[in-house]
Amino acid sequence: MTQITRETIDKIHSLLDQGLVCGLGQPVPGQMCVEAAINYALGRPHGDDPGCVAPSLRQLKIRLNDSNWSSNAARAEGMRRLAIAQLGSKDVLDEALFARKCALSVAHLWEMPDTVRQYLETGDESIRLAERDAARYAADAAARAADADAVYAAVYAAAAAAAAADAAADAAADAADAARADAASDKVLSDFAESIVQILIEMKAPGVQWL
């Protein structure tokens, strides 16, 4: 079992201060993705599996890392809290509940179709109807993509329809691409990352003690 200490957390913050790259990168500070940086801090071989992160959360982090951030510094800062909060989640986090919460939390933040909300709350087989309605809503919001808030709403409309953590990260990345502005992209992605942190806090994931 990987042991996380204050020294580990300090090393992670030091690595994040030097930025994160898109893709796996190289085992050199400032030239690694977020999960490779965690491996580096833990003294593990170079790679994108720290061995202490729940698989669904790890996949979300990788997709978010490789999204359209304006710079390596923005990528690291936007993912800083999530990089810490994810630690120790493997074999601890209820991944099905985590995926549901990823989508349900945003359904409450944004004006979502009733069918989407009902699916997320009950998990019943109305998913096809929910997806259809959510797709219509997301398309309508995307049509107003010049407005960063509309792009943000589209992110979460797609995320709610998917009702899965990895798909939610994909939706966030797609919306960031559509924003056409570095600041807007970073805000979409950073806010998405923080929404996941709040879910991990609610679920009492082990890593949140280091935030």
Side-chain angles (χ1 to χ4, degrees):
M1 179 180 294
T2 302
Q3 183 175 9
I4 307 298
T5 65
R6 171 50 62 184
E7 182 180 6
T8 305
I9 302 303
D10 290 344
K11 286 181 180 178
I12 293 171
H13 281 300
S14 179
L15 289 168
L16 293 175
D17 287 342
Q18 299 180 65
L20 295 172
V21 302
C22 179
L24 180 62
Q26 301 297 323
V28 177
Q31 298 181 32
M32 295 176 281
C33 72
V34 62
E35 301 300 60
I38 301 300
N39 270 333
Y40 190 95
L42 292 172
R44 290 168 53 90
H46 184 55
D48 60 10
D49 184 358
C52 61
V53 178
S56 61
L57 178 52
R58 171 177 163 268
Q59 289 300 321
L60 182 150
K61 288 290 302 305
I62 291 171
R63 185 66 183 88
L64 192 56
N65 180 93
D66 293 346
S67 297
N68 188 34
W69 296 91
S70 64
S71 67
N72 290 348
R75 175 180 288 107
E77 195 57 37
M79 299 181 69
R80 184 181 294 271
R81 279 168 54 81
L82 186 51
I84 301 301
Q86 68 171 340
L87 300 173
S89 58
K90 186 175 182 180
D91 298 327
V92 174
L93 191 69
D94 182 334
E95 296 189 69
L97 180 60
F98 171 68
R100 180 67 59 80
K101 283 182 177 292
C102 284
L104 186 56
S105 68
V106 298
H108 287 298
L109 284 173
W110 297 98
E111 203 175 298
M112 307 300 290
D114 288 343
T115 49
V116 175
R117 194 186 303 275
Q118 180 180 8
Y119 168 71
L120 293 172
E121 291 176 344
T122 66
D124 66 28
E125 294 304 314
S126 64
I127 178 58
R128 291 184 180 178
L129 180 61
E131 287 178 336
R132 185 194 67 193
D133 287 356
R136 184 188 304 117
Y137 179 82
D140 180 64
R144 304 190 305 276
D147 179 353
D149 287 340
V151 175
Y152 196 69
V155 171
Y156 289 135
D166 189 44
D170 285 342
D174 291 343
D177 288 338
R180 305 190 191 94
D182 288 344
S185 295
D186 289 343
K187 175 175 172 51
V188 169
L189 296 168
S190 295
D191 286 355
F192 181 80
E194 182 57 28
S195 75
I196 305 306
V197 170
Q198 293 304 313
I199 289 170
L200 293 175
I201 291 173
E202 180 185 349
M203 296 183 71
K204 296 180 171 57
V208 304
Q209 67 181 297
W210 301 109
L211 292 176

